[in-house]
């Protein structure tokens, strides 16, 4: 259970400078669509969750600091230098966020010195020799039309002491890190070194992952674009499957630890008969296992459509050597490929025809430009990040909770992972749409 203290956001000091946006927010108080800076956004939003707090006084209830512009800020915009870095795997919308940060900093706050670091944290480490990019409104014009990131990226963290050396040498006052959970752990280490050296450098994150697995951000940017792109593969596989006797469409989608992309893409088409995700262990063999269930369905209904998240069924690939990437993530075995052969073998052993069409769109779904919804979202996250940093907030990421922009301390944002809840309403919708059993069991349950 998250407690109030875990939601406390660190600040570099008092906000004594009149914000250039002060006039815009002067008349605003809390409304249904805006949260005043002195107000808080409650963590819990149901009667049951609040009751579980045992009648705690309102000011002790866990709550987030709201995002948005402040009347007074910490940094003098005319004196500061800002750095931006994009880290980890690609995600639709990275360029939108970069552009949003630059335009908000320059147009509204009047910051004139912004630099981009190339190729993730490597860009802050001398031995890599990466050049800096001067980021101006002109430089970022139109970049949101393209996938990827104009700054480039890389996986893996670097020595935080060396990174802070670099920030000090360049006179950077605010560092924006656009990255996933691993990069945010790196950002936290950087902020800790900054604190240890008693420097006034704000470290603010914009959480990025197409997998949608960062907590306290209802949907991460790029997720919607990614699953929308994934629906094209499902549609193609479904068309193929319905055209042939014993037709089986099998689509594998990204999702290392969670099945959000698989669930949403499957629901969008509403053609999937099975969705396999890492959160729900799958049993392939036995009379009530997945393979036999699938065979019965194809024999009786003529075809079937299977959507699988890449992190599913990894138990079946344990024999593969354990490998990790530069971010420390375990490299997954190719479950889609394995499943394809298991399905074909199972049908062959039963003497049934199987025409299996396998599609793995892989990076196709994350290298595309953001769709309009994600573009809007990226821009608003960028605005919230700039407001937070200018107000001296640090060691935090911008989040979105119950539809409102909030500040989330990095330690909390990296402490857990957002996953599809097997008892939640998303998985229920998947079960309703597919008609698949809640789980596949090894053995038939013998009635007593
Ligand atoms: O972390 C997001 C993600 O899209 C995962 O779903 C996927 O396993 C991984 O990135 C692959 O990225 P890369 O090949 O760049 O390490």
């Amino acid at each position: 259970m998250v407690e109030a203290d875990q939601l406390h956001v660190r600040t570099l000091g008092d906000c004594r400078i009149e914000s250039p946006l002060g006039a815009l927010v002067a008349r605003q108080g809390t409304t249904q669509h805006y949260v005043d800076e002195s107000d808080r956004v409650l963590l819990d939003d149901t009667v049951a969750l609040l009751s579980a707090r045992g009648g705690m006084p309102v000011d002790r209830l866990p709550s987030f600091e709201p995002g948005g512009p402040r009347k007074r800020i910490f940094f003098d915009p005319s004196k500061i230098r800002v750095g931006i870095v994009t880290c980890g795997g690609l995600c639709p919308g990275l360029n939108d966020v970069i552009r949003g940060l630059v335009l908000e900093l320059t147009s509204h706050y009047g910051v004139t010195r912004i630099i981009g670091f190339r190729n993730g944290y490597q860009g802050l480490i001398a031995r890599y020799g990466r050049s800096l990019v001067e980021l101006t409104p002109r430089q970022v014009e139109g970049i949101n039309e393209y996938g990827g990131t104009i700054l480039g990226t890389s996986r893996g963290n670097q020595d935080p002491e060396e990174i802070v050396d670099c920030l000090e040498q360049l006179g950077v006052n605010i560092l924006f890190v656009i990255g996933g959970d691993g990069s945010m752990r790196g950002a936290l280490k950087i902020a800790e070194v900054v604190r240890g050296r008693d420097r006034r450098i704000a470290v603010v994150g914009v959480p990025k992952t197409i997998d949608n697995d960062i907590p306290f951000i209802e949907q991460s940017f790029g997720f919607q674009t990614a699953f929308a792109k994934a629906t094209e593969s499902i549609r193609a596989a479904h068309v193929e499957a319905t055209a042939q006797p014993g037709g089986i469409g099998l689509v594998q989608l990204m999702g290392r630890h969670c099945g959000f992309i698989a669930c949403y893409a499957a629901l969008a088409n509403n053609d999937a008969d099975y969705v396999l995700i890492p959160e729900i262990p799958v049993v392939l063999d036995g009379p009530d296992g997945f393979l036999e269930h699938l065979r019965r369905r194809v024999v009786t209904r003529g075809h079937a459509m299977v959507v699988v998240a890449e992190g599913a069924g990894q138990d079946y690939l344990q024999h593969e050597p354990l490998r990790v990437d530069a971010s420390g993530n375990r490299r997954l075995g190719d479950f889609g490929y394995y499943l394809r052969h298991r399905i074909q073998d199972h049908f062959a052993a039963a003497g049934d025809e199987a025409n299996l069409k396998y599609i793995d769109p892989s990076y196709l779904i994350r290298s595309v430009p953001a769709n309009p919804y994600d573009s809007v979202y990226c821009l608003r996250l960028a605005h919230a990040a700039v407001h937070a940093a200018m107000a001296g907030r640090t060691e935090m990421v911008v989040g979105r909770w119950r539809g409102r922009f909030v500040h989330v301390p990095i330690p909390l944002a990296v402490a857990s992972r957002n996953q599809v809840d097997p008892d939640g309403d998303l998985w229920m919708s998947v079960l309703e749409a597919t008609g698949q059993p809640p789980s596949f069991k090894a053995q038939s349950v013998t009635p007593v």
Side-chain angles (χ1 to χ4, degrees):
M1 205 185 226
V2 175
E3 303 298 340
D5 295 344
Q6 293 172 272
L7 302 177
H8 174 74
V9 172
R10 284 202 65 238
T11 136
L12 294 173
D14 294 339
C15 291
R16 300 206 182 94
I17 297 170
E18 208 59 50
S19 168
L21 280 91
L24 270 183
V25 286
R27 289 178 307 130
Q28 290 181 304
T30 293
T31 71
Q32 257 191 312
H33 308 287
Y34 181 79
V35 184
D36 187 72
E37 63 177 291
S38 59
D39 202 352
R40 306 276 304 181
V41 176
L42 285 180
L43 175 76
D44 301 321
D45 73 339
T46 69
V47 171
L49 287 171
L50 282 172
S51 306
R53 300 272 173 196
M56 198 178 265
V58 171
D59 59 355
R60 283 299 306 149
L61 284 173
S63 59
F64 292 101
E65 183 173 70
R70 270 52 188 163
K71 296 180 188 85
R72 301 181 82 78
I73 54 178
F74 176 78
F75 287 111
D76 177 348
S78 67
K79 308 277 186 305
I80 60 168
R81 193 168 202 197
V82 173
I84 301 176
V85 63
T86 50
C87 310
L90 291 182
C91 178
L94 285 165
N95 283 330
D96 296 70
V97 176
I98 296 169
R99 182 160 182 252
L101 293 171
V102 172
L103 293 186
E104 186 68 13
L105 284 162
T106 51
S107 317
H108 290 292
Y109 284 97
V111 174
T112 53
R113 298 184 304 157
I114 309 170
I115 47 174
F117 296 101
R118 285 190 201 272
N119 294 113
Y121 288 132
Q122 290 181 6
L124 290 101
I125 301 291
R127 74 171 179 284
Y128 288 100
R130 309 268 184 241
S131 57
L132 298 173
V133 185
E134 284 294 331
L135 292 172
T136 60
R138 180 133 193 204
Q139 175 83 18
V140 297
E141 202 178 309
I143 62 170
N144 48 317
E145 302 291 330
Y146 300 96
T149 157
I150 58 158
L151 296 177
T153 186
S154 67
R155 281 204 180 276
N157 289 322
Q158 301 289 339
D159 179 6
E161 297 283 350
E162 279 186 63
I163 288 179
V164 179
D165 289 347
C166 171
L167 296 176
E168 285 189 359
Q169 277 162 22
L170 291 168
V172 169
N173 308 87
I174 296 173
L175 177 66
F176 289 109
V177 177
I178 312 167
D181 56 347
S183 314
M184 290 310 154
R185 280 191 198 96
L188 185 59
K189 291 205 177 101
I190 296 168
E192 283 165 0
V193 173
V194 166
R195 192 157 20 118
R197 295 189 193 180
D198 200 18
R199 293 283 180 264
R200 302 284 179 271
I201 302 174
V203 181
V204 170
V206 181
K208 169 238 60 159
T209 153
I210 59 158
D211 294 349
N212 198 33
D213 58 358
I214 298 185
F216 308 111
I217 177 118
E218 281 162 353
Q219 261 187 20
S220 47
F221 76 79
F223 167 70
Q224 198 181 94
T225 305
F227 86 71
K229 189 74 186 159
T231 62
E232 294 173 13
S233 298
I234 299 178
R235 191 169 304 117
H238 184 248
V239 168
E240 291 284 343
T242 51
Q244 337 221 12
I248 302 164
L250 175 60
V251 171
Q252 173 165 259
L253 298 172
M254 280 187 165
R256 198 196 304 270
H257 302 290
C258 64
F260 286 107
I261 295 175
C263 289
Y264 272 79
L267 288 175
N269 289 81
N270 202 7
D271 283 326
D273 303 298
Y274 302 93
V275 178
L276 306 181
I277 60 173
E279 293 88 335
I280 319 269
V282 58
V283 172
L284 296 182
D285 303 290
D288 287 334
F290 168 75
L291 293 172
E292 183 53 18
H293 202 283
L294 173 71
R295 193 192 65 78
R296 286 198 300 265
R297 175 179 154 114
V298 173
V299 167
T300 54
R301 306 283 293 276
H303 74 277
M305 181 65 225
V306 185
V307 178
V308 50
E310 61 178 343
Q314 290 298 307
D315 292 350
Y316 286 94
L317 306 164
Q318 290 294 340
H319 57 279
E320 294 192 5
L322 185 69
R323 292 178 302 144
V324 292
D325 67 15
S327 306
N329 300 307
R330 186 182 159 191
R331 284 205 184 278
L332 299 177
D334 193 338
F335 184 59
Y337 181 79
Y338 172 83
L339 191 58
R340 168 190 184 175
H341 291 291
R342 289 298 312 272
I343 292 171
Q344 283 165 332
D345 291 350
H346 188 78
F347 277 63
D352 290 316
E353 185 171 10
N355 269 304
L356 190 149
K357 306 295 179 201
Y358 177 51
I359 300 178
D360 183 348
S362 181
Y363 299 104
L364 275 179
I365 70 167
R366 71 172 205 191
S367 52
V368 290
N371 71 13
Y373 176 89
D374 272 329
S375 290
V376 172
Y377 190 32
C378 288
L379 186 66
R380 299 192 69 197
L381 283 167
H383 290 175
V386 170
H387 299 318
M390 291 304 296
R393 300 306 191 267
T394 188
E395 296 181 34
M396 56 148 278
V397 298
V398 282
R400 192 162 159 92
W401 192 241
R402 321 282 189 214
R404 300 173 185 280
F405 289 97
V406 294
H407 298 169
V408 183
I410 297 181
L412 188 66
V414 298
S416 61
R417 180 167 276 138
N418 203 15
Q419 285 194 304
V420 177
D421 178 358
D423 300 319
D425 62 349
L426 174 60
W427 187 242
M428 179 67 80
S429 294
V430 171
L431 296 180
E432 288 175 81
T434 58
Q436 73 186 67
S439 63
F440 294 99
K441 300 188 188 69
Q443 297 294 326
S444 290
V445 178
T446 321
V448 279

